[in-house]
Amino acid sequence: MINFKLMKRLFPVLFLIATSISAQSDIEKIKSYVSNKKYDWLKEFMEFIAIPNINPDSINLHQNAYFIQKLLNDRGVHTELLKPDMKGVAPVVYGEILTPGATKTIAFYAHYDGQPVNPAQWLSGLSPFKPQLATDRMDRGGKFISLPENKNDLNDDWRLYGRSSADDKAGVYAIIAGYEALKESGCTAGINIKFFFEGQEEMGSTNLPDIMIKYKEKLNTDLWLIADGPRHQSGRKQVVFGVRGDVNLGINVFGAKRPLHSGNYGNWAPNPAMRLAQLLASMKDKNGNVTIKNFYTDVVPLTAAELKALNEVPEVEELLKKELGINKPDGGGKKYLELLSLPTLNINGFQSANVGAQAANIIPTVASAVLDLRLVKGNNVDKQMKKVVDHIKMQGYYVTDKEPTDDERAKYPLIAQVRKIGNGYNAQRTPMNLPIAQEVIKAIQRTTPDKMVLLPSLGGSLPLYMFETILKAQPITLTMVNYDNNQHAENENLHLKFLWEAIESVAAVMKFY
Amino acid sequence: MINFKLMKRLFPVLFLIATSISAQSDIEKIKSYVSNKKYDWLKEFMEFIAIPNINPDSINLHQNAYFIQKLLNDRGVHTELLKPDMKGVAPVVYGEILTPGATKTIAFYAHYDGQPVNPAQWLSGLSPFKPQLATDRMDRGGKFISLPENKNDLNDDWRLYGRSSADDKAGVYAIIAGYEALKESGCTAGINIKFFFEGQEEMGSTNLPDIMIKYKEKLNTDLWLIADGPRHQSGRKQVVFGVRGDVNLGINVFGAKRPLHSGNYGNWAPNPAMRLAQLLASMKDKNGNVTIKNFYTDVVPLTAAELKALNEVPEVEELLKKELGINKPDGGGKKYLELLSLPTLNINGFQSANVGAQAANIIPTVASAVLDLRLVKGNNVDKQMKKVVDHIKMQGYYVTDKEPTDDERAKYPLIAQVRKIGNGYNAQRTPMNLPIAQEVIKAIQRTTPDKMVLLPSLGGSLPLYMFETILKAQPITLTMVNYDNNQHAENENLHLKFLWEAIESVAAVMKFY
């Protein structure tokens, strides 16, 4: 084996040219391999999508973990399941590959659990766990299609529908297939590789801190590469240096103890749907700015380097407005990326009694909303949640975390039940000039002629603060899937091309030089 | 047969005493008959409840009509189905009994259709169309119980759960059993009787005007007695001289065309749930007063006689507040009955995406609400609805009755889809001093020692304006069921005692002297 380190020290310029040529030829080999394997991979990936993956369905989540173990074992990676002390929890699937001579270790993270689904909301013919190919996005005239007999009939622009086809089984599969592509195309890894696949991300990675503490030695690395989230809307490949934090809040507001006839009690009995509407309306102005006291005060401003990076990101607002049917975005004129750098208060959903054919002329007993608070650097989960609770109290509400008792009902005119859902977590940002991250970017840039997008922070959330606080590690995120994937919602889908290109990116990072 | 009319003219005082004694003995006979028939009637009534009755389920609604025909035929009443010109519509079941010597005709109205149901919202063990007895209200410790083997084990305080057990199959059955009780207890009717059972009331009696016009001659009467709605909360028997009108409105407010990840788009993409909350909140103040311009302006004030009647109604607010778990009612201090004399704006329900276990971190695409507007004398359906639409426009919304097109989305920042649901109808009030109505009240008062409650208007709605405008007839309403029946909602139930007492009331009215 050639001693690359020695060569590099002796003939720096020559080495640079040689590695650059060799890198490009490696990329060609990887791309060629990917191109030949798409059909087999798609079949295997569809089997993966077919396994339900919604917490707390422990049995199916374990089936996902076993499936991932098999994927890795088939490619010669020895695996084990990392489990927290709590029983029945979806385990982490872990594997590692040591590369002779490598001095750096990168861990590749993705999660195999998915967001909750309401199958009734999916398009007719689609079902979250029956992966279905379509010739295009269904709302753009796509037609359902079966996996073709002939592998050459496969089209990169087809969509694969199913829960987690994008978020984040695509991430899991890209990492595993990326390793295969590197190995089988005759290239050698330039780093030690750790595989780390989590099954609790969509519920706030509740037991991940336990696992990190328990397996701290094993999880020691130079960098964590998080494979999750959509590529930039311009279509360019993207690396992100931070994420927003996240916490969910459930709010219930109460009316009479039993549903009342809206005629016989209308004007007299308080309507909880109206009360909740008034309460929610008090939280934002017409431009979508949060009006809760001190909501924006702890925010750490972006650094000069981060602001500069933001300015280099291609503009996509007009594209998004057209594509999404939005005339006027929220934010009172602030730019999209600027808005993603601020904390949010989002209504994930609300409900009181029924609408549509089941609506009846009643005064409902309860109105419910689920809020999603995204946090940025400087925000703290509990502090941010307290701001919301304090606001609700300021509106005259008695706040409890339980169903109100008869005594409480008799005592207080306005009662809100407020519960934190899951643990929530803070935001995280890795410095954009971190040397190993720069190397990763260079590797990925080799796979694409388009200038990559580098973002200080994703609008979305991942529990990356844990990497910093527990593992003292630096995470960066490689976003991979199409931005129009309906992530977290009904009709989630993967634009196939994005999976193939993600596999190339992962292989290039593992090649690393 | 004694000529009562001649006797009445010749010996007025003697006649009065004689009829009073005879009337009381007739009431005893009727009560005794009712007491013996409860068990058989309950069995038959439960068969009736088991037939689903939700519009537009035409097949089952026809099954209900056929069942009612059989009930009447079994009691010697010839029946026919009155149908509008529109096909497939639930028919009116009509029957009549001519009484030799009678000079007055009273039509008895009830409806056999029920409000829409969401079976999932019913208590475990209950199902809308599986009638179920319980020893008490389930939320007060009631236990499920089967129909006992022995008829003497039946208890008047039991509850019968099922859709329309109260609203308004109880009305249909009380009229038919009331006629049976009169006839079989050896009393003779004092009036001509018309039976009129409708199957579209809960959808706004869409085709009732057609039927009234088509069968105008047949439907000529001196009075319409509407058997529907709950008795006064004090438990007293009650006759009501008017009803509020009613119209439903569906409102949809839109966000992006596809659900968006709340992290990747949060703060930028407008949230339709927040917009709908803001829109709804703009319609009422904190006391529940409607803030829509001119909302209360057309209201015809109550007459002196109506105000006097209101003052004689027993106070129930403290009872209701305790029973319903309400600390402070809406209305800013106005009295319950005063509030029922004003138009309402009620949120029947709202929904956007999901809450509970299905809630996901997304920005929803649409938020929907169904409003119920109750109208009082002076209000007009279309005018009242226009006030709401104008208000929505004043909030900056472009209003359409269709799904917004891409062009509309590109053009307008705020879009609301507003649809009138059904036709809606105006309020109606019969003068409280109408002589034949006074006679009816006198007859019912004989069945109970407690002073009856006489109300100028029910808070609820029935399409009684049609009786006035098409048939030039005067309707009054005999309310019959327990006030805690969960009418229109899940877990609808009938307190059995109220059915038996309603049967007595009907028989007394048919006796009429």
Side-chain angles (χ1 to χ4, degrees):
Chain A
M1 183 175 274
I2 302 163
N3 187 330
F4 282 111
K5 273 196 173 176
L6 185 65
M7 271 189 67
K8 193 175 178 179
R9 205 173 309 154
L10 294 177
F11 316 101
V13 176
L14 197 66
F15 180 83
L16 206 67
I17 295 167
T19 52
S20 174
I21 291 166
S22 141
Q24 264 337 106
S25 106
D26 283 343
I27 295 294
E28 292 315 314
K29 280 191 268 179
I30 289 165
K31 286 195 173 194
S32 158
Y33 184 83
V34 169
S35 178
N36 277 315
K37 282 289 289 191
K38 290 173 184 175
Y39 188 84
D40 296 338
W41 281 340
L42 181 59
K43 266 167 58 176
E44 192 174 55
F45 187 56
M46 286 168 76
E47 283 176 51
F48 187 21
I49 299 303
I51 313 170
N53 65 339
I54 311 301
N55 273 295
D57 176 3
S58 173
I59 291 172
N60 272 313
L61 286 161
H62 276 79
Q63 291 305 322
N64 277 283
Y66 303 147
F67 189 90
I68 295 169
Q69 281 193 292
K70 186 174 179 304
L71 293 181
L72 285 165
N73 295 342
D74 287 351
R75 286 151 179 99
V77 183
H78 174 73
T79 61
E80 61 182 305
L81 298 182
L82 310 187
K83 297 181 183 187
D85 291 333
M86 185 186 276
K87 299 282 174 217
V89 161
V92 165
V93 183
Y94 176 79
E96 59 180 49
I97 291 290
L98 293 178
T99 302
T103 57
K104 299 284 180 195
T105 301
I106 298 182
F108 292 78
Y109 166 104
H111 65 89
Y112 60 84
D113 62 320
Q115 275 273 324
V117 272
N118 182 350
Q121 292 171 337
W122 286 56
L123 277 175
S124 167
L126 290 180
S127 176
F129 302 112
K130 288 187 185 148
Q132 173 64 55
L133 285 169
T135 55
D136 194 353
R137 239 171 61 191
M138 291 304 292
D139 61 333
R140 223 159 48 185
K143 304 262 175 280
F144 291 142
I145 191 164
S146 307
L147 194 68
E149 296 275 316
N150 186 330
K151 62 183 257 184
N152 294 324
D153 292 342
L154 198 63
N155 186 318
D156 286 355
D157 282 328
W158 289 355
R159 302 270 172 152
L160 177 64
Y161 280 89
R163 174 52 93 229
S164 297
S165 59
D167 178 21
D168 183 30
K169 286 187 176 177
V172 175
Y173 200 80
I175 290 169
I176 296 170
Y179 173 69
E180 176 192 334
L182 177 77
K183 194 177 146 199
E184 300 300 330
S185 62
C187 304
T188 43
I191 51 170
N192 299 315
I193 299 166
K194 298 193 173 182
F195 298 91
F196 190 95
F197 301 121
E198 198 208 341
Q200 288 196 305
E201 193 271 340
E202 298 293 5
M203 61 179 291
S205 299
T206 323
N207 292 286
L208 193 53
D210 278 9
I211 290 174
M212 285 182 171
I213 292 164
K214 200 165 163 185
Y215 299 96
K216 201 167 173 178
E217 291 307 308
K218 197 186 286 285
L219 300 181
N220 189 23
T221 65
D222 297 290
L223 186 78
W224 281 78
L225 188 75
I226 311 297
D228 197 2
R231 259 158 67 170
H232 189 256
Q233 292 94 342
S234 63
R236 301 198 195 178
K237 291 196 173 183
Q238 176 177 266
V239 167
V240 185
F241 287 78
V243 287
R244 290 201 273 201
D246 194 27
V247 63
N248 284 135
L249 241 65
I251 302 178
N252 290 330
V253 166
F254 301 90
K257 283 165 71 178
R258 58 182 173 84
L260 297 174
H261 188 287
S262 65
N264 296 335
Y265 294 90
N267 276 350
W268 183 83
N271 186 313
M274 179 56 80
R275 284 186 171 174
L276 183 61
Q278 289 172 335
L279 180 59
L280 294 171
S282 74
M283 295 180 182
K284 276 195 168 183
D285 67 18
K286 293 283 162 87
N287 288 323
N289 299 313
V290 180
T291 49
I292 292 173
K293 202 176 161 192
N294 295 329
F295 195 78
Y296 298 105
T297 47
D298 336 292
V299 174
V300 171
L302 296 171
T303 64
E306 289 169 337
L307 279 171
K308 181 166 172 290
L310 280 194
N311 281 329
E312 286 173 10
V313 175
E315 278 284 348
V316 290
E317 289 205 51
E318 290 311 313
L319 167 85
L320 286 180
K321 281 164 69 175
K322 186 151 188 296
E323 138 96 23
L324 299 172
I326 293 173
N327 167 290
K328 185 170 173 260
D330 275 354
K334 287 201 187 79
K335 285 193 156 191
Y336 176 58
L337 289 175
E338 194 180 346
L339 291 165
L340 292 197
S341 307
L342 292 172
T344 74
L345 180 147
N346 181 62
I347 304 176
N348 281 358
F350 60 39
Q351 179 158 24
S352 184
N354 297 298
V355 296
Q358 290 177 326
N361 284 334
I362 56 141
I363 304 171
T365 55
V366 62
S368 307
V370 174
L371 300 187
D372 175 42
L373 306 181
R374 300 279 168 172
L375 282 64
V376 298
K377 203 164 177 178
N379 291 146
N380 167 280
V381 165
D382 291 318
K383 215 170 148 190
Q384 200 71 352
M385 187 174 141
K386 188 171 178 298
K387 292 175 193 172
V388 179
V389 171
D390 286 348
H391 176 85
I392 297 174
K393 289 179 182 167
M394 293 256 293
Q395 306 303 305
Y397 277 85
Y398 167 71
V399 175
T400 168
D401 59 355
K402 300 185 190 61
E403 285 265 327
T405 63
D406 284 356
D407 284 348
E408 286 169 329
R409 283 176 167 278
K411 194 167 168 190
Y412 303 106
L414 298 168
I415 303 178
Q417 180 187 16
V418 182
R419 289 156 306 124
K420 184 175 169 185
I421 302 168
N423 287 330
Y425 51 80
N426 293 340
Q428 186 276 335
R429 283 217 287 273
T430 291
M432 294 188 80
N433 56 3
L434 186 74
I436 188 170
Q438 293 297 326
E439 291 296 317
V440 166
I441 291 163
K442 223 185 285 172
I444 299 169
Q445 185 67 70
R446 287 193 187 105
T447 66
T448 171
D450 301 319
K451 190 170 183 316
M452 286 171 64
V453 174
L454 306 177
L455 270 191
S457 176
L458 205 63
S461 302
L462 291 163
L464 302 190
Y465 75 97
M466 296 179 194
F467 293 86
E468 247 181 36
T469 54
I470 303 174
L471 300 179
K472 314 290 175 209
Q474 305 279 14
I476 63 171
T477 300
L478 172 61
T479 68
M480 300 184 316
V481 296
N482 44 302
Y483 79 102
D484 59 348
N485 64 59
N486 275 27
Q487 199 178 349
H488 287 199
E490 59 272 22
N491 310 323
E492 180 175 352
N493 70 86
L494 171 72
H495 187 152
L496 295 184
K497 180 179 79 171
F498 287 76
L499 179 60
W500 314 142
E501 294 182 3
I503 293 170
E504 293 167 6
S505 296
V506 168
V509 173
M510 291 174 175
K511 186 76 200 80
F512 194 73
Y513 59 98
Chain B
M1 184 176 276
I2 302 162
N3 185 331
F4 284 111
K5 273 200 173 169
L6 186 65
M7 270 187 68
K8 192 175 180 181
R9 205 173 306 153
L10 294 176
F11 316 102
V13 175
L14 197 66
F15 179 85
L16 206 67
I17 296 167
T19 51
S20 175
I21 292 167
S22 142
Q24 266 333 109
S25 106
D26 282 344
I27 295 294
E28 292 315 314
K29 280 192 271 180
I30 289 166
K31 288 196 171 194
S32 159
Y33 183 84
V34 169
S35 178
N36 277 313
K37 284 287 291 192
K38 290 173 184 175
Y39 188 83
D40 296 338
W41 281 340
L42 180 58
K43 265 166 59 175
E44 192 174 56
F45 186 56
M46 285 169 76
E47 283 177 51
F48 187 21
I49 300 302
I51 313 170
N53 65 340
I54 311 301
N55 274 294
D57 175 2
S58 175
I59 290 172
N60 272 314
L61 286 161
H62 276 80
Q63 292 303 324
N64 277 282
Y66 303 148
F67 189 88
I68 296 169
Q69 282 193 292
K70 188 174 177 305
L71 294 180
L72 285 166
N73 295 343
D74 287 351
R75 285 146 180 102
V77 184
H78 173 75
T79 61
E80 61 183 305
L81 298 182
L82 310 188
K83 296 181 181 186
D85 292 333
M86 186 186 273
K87 301 280 174 217
V89 161
V92 166
V93 184
Y94 177 79
E96 59 180 49
I97 291 291
L98 292 177
T99 302
T103 58
K104 299 285 181 196
T105 302
I106 298 182
F108 292 79
Y109 165 104
H111 65 90
Y112 61 83
D113 62 318
Q115 276 273 327
V117 272
N118 183 350
Q121 291 172 337
W122 287 56
L123 278 175
S124 168
L126 290 180
S127 176
F129 302 111
K130 288 187 185 149
Q132 173 66 54
L133 285 168
T135 55
D136 194 352
R137 240 172 58 191
M138 292 304 293
D139 60 332
R140 221 159 48 185
K143 302 263 176 282
F144 292 141
I145 190 165
S146 306
L147 194 66
E149 296 275 315
N150 185 329
K151 62 184 258 181
N152 295 325
D153 292 341
L154 198 64
N155 187 317
D156 285 356
D157 282 329
W158 288 356
R159 303 270 172 152
L160 176 65
Y161 280 88
R163 174 53 93 226
S164 296
S165 59
D167 179 20
D168 182 34
K169 287 187 175 176
V172 174
Y173 200 80
I175 290 169
I176 295 170
Y179 174 69
E180 176 193 334
L182 178 77
K183 195 177 146 199
E184 300 299 331
S185 62
C187 305
T188 44
I191 51 166
N192 299 313
I193 299 165
K194 297 192 175 184
F195 299 90
F196 189 96
F197 301 121
E198 199 208 339
Q200 289 195 306
E201 195 270 339
E202 298 293 5
M203 61 180 290
S205 299
T206 323
N207 292 285
L208 194 54
D210 278 10
I211 288 174
M212 286 182 170
I213 291 163
K214 199 165 162 186
Y215 299 96
K216 200 166 175 179
E217 291 306 309
K218 196 186 285 286
L219 300 181
N220 190 24
T221 65
D222 296 290
L223 187 77
W224 282 77
L225 189 75
I226 311 298
D228 197 3
R231 259 156 68 169
H232 189 256
Q233 292 94 341
S234 63
R236 300 198 196 179
K237 289 197 173 182
Q238 174 175 268
V239 168
V240 185
F241 287 78
V243 286
R244 290 202 271 201
D246 195 27
V247 64
N248 285 134
L249 240 65
I251 303 178
N252 290 331
V253 166
F254 300 90
K257 285 165 70 178
R258 58 182 174 85
L260 297 174
H261 188 287
S262 64
N264 295 335
Y265 295 90
N267 277 350
W268 184 84
N271 185 313
M274 179 54 81
R275 285 186 170 175
L276 183 61
Q278 290 172 334
L279 181 59
L280 294 171
S282 73
M283 295 181 183
K284 278 195 167 182
D285 68 17
K286 293 281 162 89
N287 288 322
N289 299 312
V290 180
T291 48
I292 291 173
K293 202 176 161 193
N294 295 327
F295 195 78
Y296 298 105
T297 47
D298 334 294
V299 175
V300 172
L302 296 172
T303 64
E306 289 169 337
L307 279 171
K308 182 167 172 289
L310 281 193
N311 280 329
E312 287 173 9
V313 175
E315 279 283 350
V316 291
E317 290 204 50
E318 290 310 313
L319 167 84
L320 286 180
K321 282 164 68 175
K322 188 153 186 291
E323 137 97 23
L324 298 173
I326 292 173
N327 166 289
K328 184 168 173 261
D330 275 355
K334 287 201 188 79
K335 286 193 152 188
Y336 175 57
L337 289 175
E338 194 182 345
L339 291 166
L340 293 197
S341 308
L342 292 173
T344 74
L345 181 148
N346 182 62
I347 303 175
N348 281 358
F350 61 39
Q351 180 159 22
S352 185
N354 298 298
V355 296
Q358 289 177 327
N361 284 334
I362 56 140
I363 304 171
T365 56
V366 62
S368 306
V370 174
L371 300 187
D372 176 41
L373 305 181
R374 300 279 169 172
L375 282 64
V376 298
K377 204 165 175 177
N379 291 146
N380 167 280
V381 164
D382 290 319
K383 215 168 146 188
Q384 201 71 355
M385 186 174 142
K386 188 172 177 302
K387 292 175 193 171
V388 179
V389 171
D390 286 348
H391 177 84
I392 297 173
K393 288 179 182 167
M394 294 256 293
Q395 306 303 305
Y397 277 84
Y398 167 71
V399 175
T400 168
D401 59 355
K402 300 184 190 60
E403 285 264 327
T405 63
D406 284 356
D407 285 348
E408 286 168 329
R409 283 175 168 278
K411 194 166 168 190
Y412 302 107
L414 298 168
I415 302 178
Q417 180 186 18
V418 182
R419 288 154 308 122
K420 184 175 168 184
I421 302 169
N423 287 328
Y425 51 79
N426 293 339
Q428 185 277 335
R429 282 217 288 274
T430 292
M432 295 189 81
N433 56 3
L434 186 74
I436 189 170
Q438 293 297 325
E439 291 296 315
V440 165
I441 291 163
K442 223 185 285 172
I444 300 168
Q445 186 66 71
R446 287 193 187 106
T447 65
T448 172
D450 300 319
K451 192 168 180 320
M452 285 169 65
V453 174
L454 306 178
L455 269 192
S457 177
L458 204 65
S461 302
L462 291 163
L464 301 190
Y465 76 96
M466 295 180 195
F467 294 87
E468 247 181 34
T469 54
I470 303 175
L471 300 178
K472 314 293 174 206
Q474 304 279 13
I476 62 172
T477 300
L478 172 61
T479 66
M480 302 184 317
V481 295
N482 43 303
Y483 79 100
D484 59 350
N485 64 59
N486 275 28
Q487 200 177 346
H488 286 200
E490 59 272 21
N491 310 325
E492 181 175 352
N493 70 87
L494 171 72
H495 186 153
L496 294 184
K497 179 178 82 171
F498 286 76
L499 180 60
W500 314 141
E501 293 182 2
I503 293 171
E504 293 167 4
S505 296
V506 169
V509 173
M510 290 175 175
K511 186 76 198 79
F512 192 73
Y513 58 101

